[in-house]
Each structure stands twice: as structure tokens, then as C-alpha cells.
Amino acid sequence: MVGGSTEGAGQVLLVGSSGGHLAQLLALEPWYRDRPRAWVTFDTPDARSLLDGEDVVWAHHPTTRNVRNLVRNAFLALRVMRRRPVDAVVTTGAGVALPFVVAARLRRIPTVYIEVYDRIDSATLTARLCRPFLSAMLVQWEEQRRMYPEATVVGNLL
């Protein structure tokens, strides 16, 4: 974005599982309000309600211990990155994040991971898996820097 204009700009892709991960992405609304954006999440009643009127790509779920859906989401991520003008990927996890972070990295698209606020004593599996592919790691508590020394503390989203 040059001079605050979004004309000709690509999208920010906001990626997160439905529920708490999506709620934390929604809390970024003051930041993304005037930006072109699309969402990637699961097709659940809460996500449909919260994202009504938004551009949404529905990912395959469940993702926990489901290799088939991991592969399906990997192909979905590659397709989304190829067909959309994505300028950045911002994610709070969980399982749906990894394929989109990796696909973005393959296309040299910046990726930002925001660790969830309720994991203070240990790193989430998704953050550990995504970490090598990230452009930036953000945390919500200073205590989380024990697991992510390179992270930037942004404070609580919720």
C-alpha cells in the first residue's frame, strides 16, 4: 500500500481454525479494516455468522490427526496462492495454518504467525511446525518469548 491507498494491492489472507483462533484474527479488525482481505477457515456455524459478507475460502476439517485433510488443504493452499493476489498471510493457527504458511513461503509471500494467548508455558504444535517458514513471529505475552526468543510481543488481542 502506498500512501494508504489499497488500489491495485493484493489481499491479506487471514488463516485460522474456527473458534478461538478465528476470534483472535477478528480482533485485528482495526488493522485489516481498510485492507483487501480474504479468510481461510472451517465451514462451521460460528464462522459463517462471524464472516458473513466477507470473502471466505472454506478449508477441510477436521485437521487434527487427519492426513487426508492435511493433503486436501495443501492443494487448496497452492490453488489459493496461484489464483489470488495474496500479499501476506497472517495466521493464529491451528491445523489449517501449516499448508497456507508453506504455500506462501514457496511463493515468497510474507507470513506472520500470532501465537494464541492461552499458550504461555509451551509452544503450540502448529507454531513449531510453521516457525521455519515464517517471516515474523508475534506473541501476546512476554512470557511466550521463552519459547520464541525472536518473537515480537504485540500484547493481548482479546
Side-chain angles (χ1 to χ4, degrees):
M1 264 183 359
V2 178
S5 170
T6 59
E7 188 175 325
Q11 297 178 323
V12 173
L13 196 62
L14 298 151
V15 180
S17 300
S18 54
H21 294 276
L22 179 57
Q24 290 182 64
L25 285 173
L26 286 164
L28 297 172
E29 195 266 341
W31 173 78
Y32 66 69
R33 176 184 306 133
D34 297 326
R35 288 179 165 82
R37 64 189 171 275
W39 299 82
V40 177
T41 193
F42 303 138
D43 190 357
T44 60
D46 68 316
R48 280 201 173 270
S49 173
L50 292 166
L51 297 174
D52 185 43
E54 293 283 331
D55 181 5
V56 181
V57 175
W58 301 115
H60 304 281
H61 70 97
T63 55
T64 305
R65 296 178 189 87
N66 191 315
V67 175
R68 180 174 182 253
N69 283 342
L70 174 66
V71 171
R72 291 171 75 194
N73 284 331
F75 281 109
L76 177 64
L78 292 170
R79 188 169 56 250
V80 167
M81 296 298 166
R82 188 176 60 248
R83 294 183 179 169
R84 291 175 176 258
V86 177
D87 282 346
V89 172
V90 176
T91 184
T92 53
V96 69
L98 181 61
F100 284 86
V101 166
V102 172
R105 178 64 180 246
L106 289 172
R107 296 187 64 87
R108 293 188 169 93
I109 296 169
T111 53
V112 177
Y113 193 102
I114 306 169
E115 182 62 292
V116 292
Y117 72 92
D118 58 344
R119 290 297 291 266
I120 297 171
D121 296 326
S122 62
T124 58
L125 176 60
T126 307
R128 291 189 314 236
L129 293 171
C130 289
R131 203 166 168 193
F133 307 101
L134 298 175
S135 304
M137 180 73 183
L138 307 179
V139 294
Q140 298 182 51
W141 300 97
E142 183 63 39
E143 292 84 353
Q144 290 173 311
R145 293 194 69 235
R146 287 191 306 261
M147 286 86 64
Y148 313 107
E150 76 286 2
T152 301
V153 179
V154 294
N156 297 349
L157 298 181
L158 296 177

